[in-house]
Amino acid sequence: SHLISPGLDAARVARLAAPSSGRATRGACRGVVVRASKDDDSLFRPRRSKAVAFAQFMTGVALRFSVWRARLKREARKVIAPLEQEQPDYNLNVLPLLLPVRPAGKGEYSVSTKLWRKTVYWARLHNRLTANQVGDSEITGKVVVLGGGAFGTAMAAHVARKGNPVVLVMRDKLVRDYINTKHINPRYLSEFDLPLNLRASTQAAKELADCQALIVAVPVQSSRKALEAVAQYVPKGIPVVALSKGLELGSREFMCDLIPHALGRSREENPVVVVSGPSFAKEIMDQRPTAVVAASADPAAAAVVQRLLMSPYFRVSITDDVVGVEIAGALKNVLAIAAGMCEGLGLGMNAMSALICQGTAEIRWLATAMGAKPETLAGLAGIGDILLTCFGTLSRNRTLGVRIGQGEALDEILGSSGGVTEGVFTARLVVELADRYRVLLPVLTAVARILNGEVSARKAVFEVLSLPSSSESA
């Protein structure tokens, strides 16, 4: 006989006690009495097989080993280059002191001293004139970061260091538990400790309910699906910060357009702020001096995000040229692949610099044709991010280009590399934009042809370099 409490599903118990293959179950034959409380359904959970338990154990071991290896590498770097591990003793957001007044009878200032005094004087005057032009509201409450990759982890740690409670929303429960117990992300940047006021969660609805800002650090190609899944839980009125750079393949949209459409909100209900610039995640975690740009059509939202992110080692400028920032951030990934190919082919720095120079001009041509401001392409989000991604050894896009130049197949590279290489997706759309806006982009088009398998890397590079020379003013 079976005693079933009202809270239990009688059908589930009946199925458990039902005869199998014409024979009664062992428990039923022995007259076992099953007693279960309303809150205890352990009897009805399928037992984990030994294979599943072993797989989970090995996954945990692999995570611990990756953390140990990353920590060991960092300790080795401390021995090799101890200066790199010093804590910052500067503040990028405090103006320098004005040089003392020239003592009487000591002669004139040198030209360099005179120019520096003028620079500091006008900087201080500019600060006084522009102070509180767009309000002084600040985010002091919880900040949710959607995406637990390298850059999401770095920005979450950065905001948490300033004192805000931060929640890193992710899907992997094993990584979530590791972060909450060890304060280390075992998959990304595991050589660094995370702040104690940063925690991880897999419950987006609960965490978003009372947050004051949402930072989206999900790869562009996955952002729409991720945002649509949590759209109903995102509070209205909070700024949404976009860290991902690129275009979505299906819609051909940048993040500034994708986010409102995915949330089903207007830009007034949830203003979008795009943050871009030369910023490797690892150096942010290591508190190295960094400068970025926050771009938004809403000046007040841009100022709020500026204050949220600014710190002694992290400087944030603001602009309203969202188009220019988005285009530069997306296309520099494609150009970095071309730069990496030059290195992989062993063509030298001369050829690489010439190719990057040509590619930078092409990004400017397309961006201005789409309505961007030329000065944006000469700033942090433009040439600043281009230089970092094309020459920096931490760039995934550049690394992919190096491996292609060395003869590896694209599918093999994508299968073995960690993280997402946005330049591969963006390259497919660059040629469409070039055709739509009637702009010729030899370098960026060559990258698309190589990735499509239409031409070898070596042949494409030499074809671009052999094109007729044009005026330097073009």
Side-chain angles (χ1 to χ4, degrees), residues 102-385:
R102 174 176 55 84
K106 293 293 183 179
E108 294 292 331
Y109 282 127
S110 67
V111 175
S112 57
T113 301
K114 186 186 300 183
L115 287 177
W116 181 245
R117 282 181 58 85
K118 288 182 179 179
T119 301
V120 175
Y121 172 80
W122 286 110
R124 290 178 175 276
L125 180 61
H126 176 270
N127 263 15
R128 286 197 294 268
L129 294 176
T130 58
N132 299 326
Q133 284 188 351
V134 289
D136 56 357
S137 59
E138 292 189 15
I139 295 173
T140 57
K142 182 169 71 176
V143 175
V144 171
V145 179
L146 194 62
F151 209 77
T153 300
M155 292 303 292
H158 169 66
V159 175
R161 286 187 188 122
K162 294 191 61 182
N164 291 76
V166 179
V167 179
L168 200 57
V169 174
M170 56 181 59
R171 295 179 299 177
D172 194 322
K173 294 182 179 180
L174 195 61
V175 175
R176 174 203 64 188
D177 295 341
Y178 204 102
I179 290 175
N180 291 337
T181 56
K182 304 291 187 181
H183 301 290
I184 299 169
N185 187 332
R187 296 201 186 277
Y188 300 96
L189 304 170
S190 51
E191 63 267 40
F192 297 98
D193 292 324
L194 299 177
L196 297 181
N197 57 332
L198 188 160
R199 60 185 176 85
S201 174
T202 55
Q203 300 178 351
K206 174 184 175 182
E207 304 301 343
L208 286 167
D210 58 344
C211 74
Q212 294 186 8
L214 171 61
I215 298 177
V216 181
V218 180
V220 173
Q221 309 308 322
S222 306
S223 291
R224 184 180 297 274
K225 183 177 180 180
L227 288 169
E228 287 176 346
V230 302
Q232 59 182 318
Y233 310 115
V234 178
K236 292 184 178 180
I238 68 168
V240 180
V241 183
L243 301 181
S244 306
K245 304 169 185 177
L247 293 104
E248 189 184 37
L249 282 177
S251 65
R252 276 68 172 168
E253 288 182 339
F254 290 106
M255 290 297 290
C256 60
D257 299 316
L258 186 154
I259 290 174
H261 293 163
L263 294 178
R265 309 272 179 86
S266 67
R267 288 182 173 83
E268 289 72 26
E269 290 176 305
N270 287 104
V272 177
V273 182
V274 179
V275 175
S276 186
S279 49
F280 281 147
K282 188 174 183 179
E283 294 193 5
I284 294 175
M285 284 293 289
D286 210 18
Q287 301 185 52
R288 299 298 120 195
T290 303
V292 299
V293 176
S296 179
D298 185 335
V304 168
V305 172
Q306 181 189 41
R307 284 188 283 271
L308 173 68
L309 299 181
M310 283 175 62
S311 78
Y313 64 91
F314 202 87
R315 184 177 176 86
V316 185
S317 304
I318 57 175
T319 180
D320 60 355
D321 186 12
V322 183
V323 174
V325 170
E326 287 268 40
I327 295 173
L331 270 59
K332 58 92 180 178
N333 290 327
V334 183
L335 182 56
I337 294 176
M341 289 177 185
C342 272
E343 178 171 332
L345 291 168
L347 301 182
M349 295 299 294
N350 290 349
M352 185 191 299
S353 299
L355 209 65
I356 293 173
C357 182
Q358 170 65 24
T360 302
E362 293 176 13
I363 294 175
R364 185 181 74 249
W365 298 339
L366 181 59
T368 52
M370 295 176 67
K373 299 176 181 178
E375 53 266 31
T376 301
L377 282 302
L380 288 168
I383 193 65
D385 212 358

